Amino acid sequence: QVQLVESGGGLVQAGGSLRLSCGASGRTFSMHAMAWFRQAAGKDREFVARIYWGGGTTSVLDSVKGRFAISRDVAKNTVYLHMNSLKPEDTAVYYCAAATARGRGWDYWGQGTQVTVSS
């Protein structure tokens, strides 16, 4: 089992920045990748960014490229989402997810943290 706890959400004005954190505990030795997803009210959950735990390779949703970045601290078992130049359309609940083996998909999820961007 892996437990994920997100933090760092809040209310910010358009153009501002936030850093989300997701701390993992439990069977983290088998971590394959971690990611951030988001779900806006009335919309489906969408992928935002992913990082492979071993090599640190990342990928980011096209619509947030240049504004968002994902990073990790392996020693702290923590993944971060750095969000800059925030827009009202970035308002959503942001979820952290973990994949503990290649090909298994995202098998653990955090509880989510609300990000609200005011215009």
Side-chain angles (χ1 to χ4, degrees):
Q1 291 284 337
V2 173
Q3 295 77 41
L4 303 175
V5 179
E6 301 105 331
S7 61
L11 174 64
V12 63
Q13 288 188 330
S17 299
L18 282 174
R19 188 185 76 166
L20 304 182
S21 300
C22 175
S25 60
R27 297 175 65 86
T28 57
F29 61 85
S30 62
M31 194 70 73
H32 172 60
M34 293 186 74
W36 290 95
F37 290 76
R38 67 185 181 185
Q39 186 167 20
K43 296 187 177 181
D44 293 333
R45 188 174 297 186
E46 68 173 350
F47 166 83
V48 177
R50 179 201 64 225
I51 187 163
Y52 287 108
W53 207 245
T57 305
T58 65
S59 65
V60 179
L61 178 69
D62 283 347
S63 63
V64 303
K65 277 183 180 177
R67 299 191 298 120
F68 290 14
I70 187 170
S71 66
R72 80 208 190 295
D73 185 326
V74 175
K76 294 182 178 180
N77 288 320
T78 298
V79 64
Y80 304 98
L81 185 65
H82 309 267
M83 304 186 294
N84 299 308
S85 302
L86 282 160
K87 303 176 181 181
E89 51 263 43
D90 295 319
T91 295
V93 178
Y94 284 71
Y95 296 91
C96 174
T100 56
R102 184 176 182 178
R104 286 183 59 176
W106 305 105
D107 43 0
Y108 295 99
W109 293 83
Q111 81 287 352
T113 185
Q114 177 71 47
V115 172
T116 303
V117 184
S118 62
S119 57

